[in-house]
Each structure stands twice: as structure tokens, then as C-alpha cells.
Amino acid sequence: MNKTWLLFLIPLFLFSSCFKEDERMKPYDRGNIITDTIGMTQTYKYQVYYSLDDSTVVSQNNKGIFDLVFDNASDKAGVYPNTANFAKVARTGQHDLSAVSSIAGLSFGFDASSGNTDSLAFGNWFVVENTDTLWSSEVFVVDLGYDDVGNALGYRKVVIDSLVGGRYHFRYALLNNTQTWTGTAAKTGSSNYIYFSFSTHEQVFPEPPREDYDLLFTQYTTLLYTNEGEPYPYIVTGVLLNRFQTQCYLDTSLVFQEINSESVRDQIFTPRPDIIGYDWKEVKGDVNTGNVYYEVKFGNSYFIKDQKGFYYKLRFAGFYNRSGEKGFPVIEFQKL
């Protein structure tokens, strides 16, 4: 062998031997495709929090146990109505709670299911006093919407007085001024939101810790469009993403059984809460007579990236239980 080449190869060998070996990915069992049924019931009265990692229902609650929703993060101050009840909110421009006694002339708005903060019913309700104090005196009227069997829940007028030291302070009353209450809701730091009930006059805790679930099966309010392109609010039944580090991508081209870890490469994921939404099913039959049924779109495959960085493929396989009752979404999913 040419000595020059030999002298070249020796230092190359020594140099390359100093490189650290590629770290091996720790193997884990991806398991088989899991099928599960989510019991929202025929009236969709339950909100169901689901963990893909544990393939289990983390918790569930009646969707009507709260009326106001507040941001729980230390750097946020949003206030929201219960969109699962089709609740809506009107600004009155008034600053005296007792002066508002009618909904006449009010314009009610809804929160966008997309999570767009520019489309919030309460909007920027506050004035900033300092970094730890927000306050307001404007009166809002909340149409509480409907319960799961269609009964109107009435109205409340409310003033979000302040957010101080992680605690929301507010007053609320009946429109006829016969009763007025004060309320507080304290940030806990564990869930995405905190909740308050006008019925029980106390803070309630329907949402589990944000690290414990991936999907929320629920009714929620969204905007649909007429044939002329006019938007109108409508209550739908579907799935919302956990807003904590959870993302999703919809694919309609791949065969579900053939989707693997390579399928998620170069896909653009979004944290938009309603990316799964309600559109995985469609209404069949005669909507004028009410003789309709729901058919799932088997071609819709959802790639979900959870907060731990794992990917899942998921699709819907049904909307009925074995007794033929609607309101029981059937999901199929597998870790990739």
C-alpha cells in the first residue's frame, strides 16, 4: 500500500473513533389500534375529557354546571361564557349594575371556537392599573343559553370588577334587580381555565389538570354559513383540543390502516382548538322532517401531537351505541 495513503488513513481512523455513537431511541410498545366509545348521551349533556396516552376517560361533567370561564394562566385574564350551553354576551356601555334591567337594544356576541382572541364576547373587559391589578366597571349581560333538553336558562348581568393577585372579583344579578351577589374565582395554576356557577354561587372544577388529557368531547358554539355566505352562530357536537401544547393535522388522502410514523413528516400541525371539531360526521336524511341520522367520515384521519411529543393517528368509527342511541362517538387511534 502507498505509505502516503497509510499515513492519511491512520489519523482519520483515530479521529473518527472519537465521535460519540448515535443515541438510540428508547423503544416502546406502540400497541394495536384502540377502539373506545365516548358516552356524551343522546342530549350531549356530558363533557368528556380523554387521554390518548392512557386510552381512558379522565373525567366528565354535566356541561351546565358552570356559567363563567376564566383564564387560569398567570399571564392571562380572559373571561368567557359557557359556549357548551350556547351562551352569549352583550356589552351595555353602562357602569351601574342596577341601571340595566332589560335586553332591549343589546347586541349579543359569541366566542369564536377557533380560539381567536380578537373574537371574544367579553373582549378586553379590563383597564390595566398596574402589573398585578386589572379592573373594570362595565355591565355585561349574559344570555345563559339552554340546558341539554332545550330549556332557556335566562339572563344574568355581571360586572367583572377586578383581577388582583390571581383572583377574579365580580358582581352579578338578576335583570329585575331582585337579587345581587358577589363572587370570586381564584387561579389554581393546574388547569387551562377556572369556572364559576351562577346557580351554586361558587367556583367549580370540571376540568382536570392540563397535563392529564388530550381531547375534550363537548358541545360548543361555532359559526356556520348560509348558502349566501352569511355567518350565523350554531351549537355543534364535537371535539376540542387541549389548549396546552396539543396540536393536530387533518388528512383526507391516506388509508388509515397504512398510516405510520413516516406519515407525519413535513405535515403542518396547528394548535387551533376546533381543528377536529364537529365535521367528522355529516347529517343524512330529511332535515325538514327531522328524519335524519349521522354518518361519520371514515376518510378523515387526524394526526395528533400530544404535550409529551408523541404522535397518534385517530379517526371516528361511529356516533351511536349498541342500542342505536346517538351521542356516543366511537374513536379508533394508535400511537405512531
Side-chain angles (χ1 to χ4, degrees), residues 61-293:
N61 59 271
N62 188 305
K63 70 188 184 77
I65 67 170
F66 61 91
D67 299 292
L68 289 182
V69 184
F70 304 86
D71 271 321
N72 198 15
S74 60
D75 59 343
K76 294 183 179 180
V79 181
Y80 317 94
N82 183 352
T83 68
N85 282 350
F86 203 55
K88 51 189 176 180
V89 179
R91 303 190 81 128
T92 68
Q94 298 290 331
H95 297 270
D96 179 359
L97 190 63
S98 63
V100 177
S101 58
S102 169
I103 64 170
L106 296 181
S107 177
F108 286 85
F110 297 82
D111 282 355
S113 62
S114 65
N116 185 355
T117 56
D118 293 332
S119 302
L120 297 177
F122 275 97
N124 291 325
W125 58 268
F126 54 83
V127 175
V128 180
E129 183 171 307
N130 56 55
T131 56
D132 191 45
T133 302
L134 310 178
W135 67 273
S136 176
S137 62
E138 183 173 2
V139 181
F140 294 85
V141 173
V142 182
D143 180 342
L144 302 179
Y146 303 88
D147 66 15
D148 63 294
V149 293
N151 297 312
L153 298 173
Y155 298 88
R156 293 293 185 274
K157 52 186 178 180
V158 58
V159 175
I160 313 297
D161 287 307
S162 63
L163 169 58
V164 183
R167 187 178 292 268
Y168 297 87
H169 300 266
F170 46 94
R171 291 168 288 139
Y172 56 102
L174 300 176
L175 278 179
N176 61 13
N177 289 315
T178 56
Q179 286 184 289
T180 302
W181 300 269
T182 59
T184 61
K187 293 188 177 187
T188 64
S190 62
S191 57
N192 291 316
Y193 302 102
I194 54 178
Y195 305 79
F196 189 88
S197 168
F198 287 149
S199 299
T200 62
H201 311 293
E202 62 184 3
Q203 189 170 342
V204 293
F205 303 89
E207 183 187 355
R210 64 175 71 91
E211 294 88 357
D212 290 355
Y213 75 98
D214 303 295
L215 305 175
L216 170 59
F217 292 77
T218 182
Q219 285 199 301
Y220 64 94
T221 305
T222 194
L223 284 180
L224 300 183
Y225 294 86
T226 65
N227 293 333
E228 292 74 31
E230 294 294 324
Y232 64 96
Y234 198 79
I235 190 165
V236 295
T237 302
V239 181
L240 300 176
L241 294 183
N242 180 352
R243 299 197 184 199
F244 179 65
Q245 299 179 5
T246 308
Q247 300 182 42
C248 181
Y249 169 79
L250 166 63
D251 180 89
T252 58
S253 62
L254 299 175
V255 177
F256 185 76
Q257 289 80 0
E258 297 176 359
I259 294 173
N260 55 37
S261 58
E262 294 298 315
S263 304
V264 302
R265 291 185 179 274
D266 302 322
Q267 307 294 3
I268 300 176
F269 284 73
T270 175
R272 176 173 170 153
D274 63 353
I275 181 64
I276 297 178
Y278 67 93
D279 200 30
W280 42 269
K281 61 187 181 311
E282 53 187 341
V283 178
K284 298 289 186 178
D286 189 345
V287 294
N288 295 318
T289 64
N291 185 22
V292 299
Y293 64 94

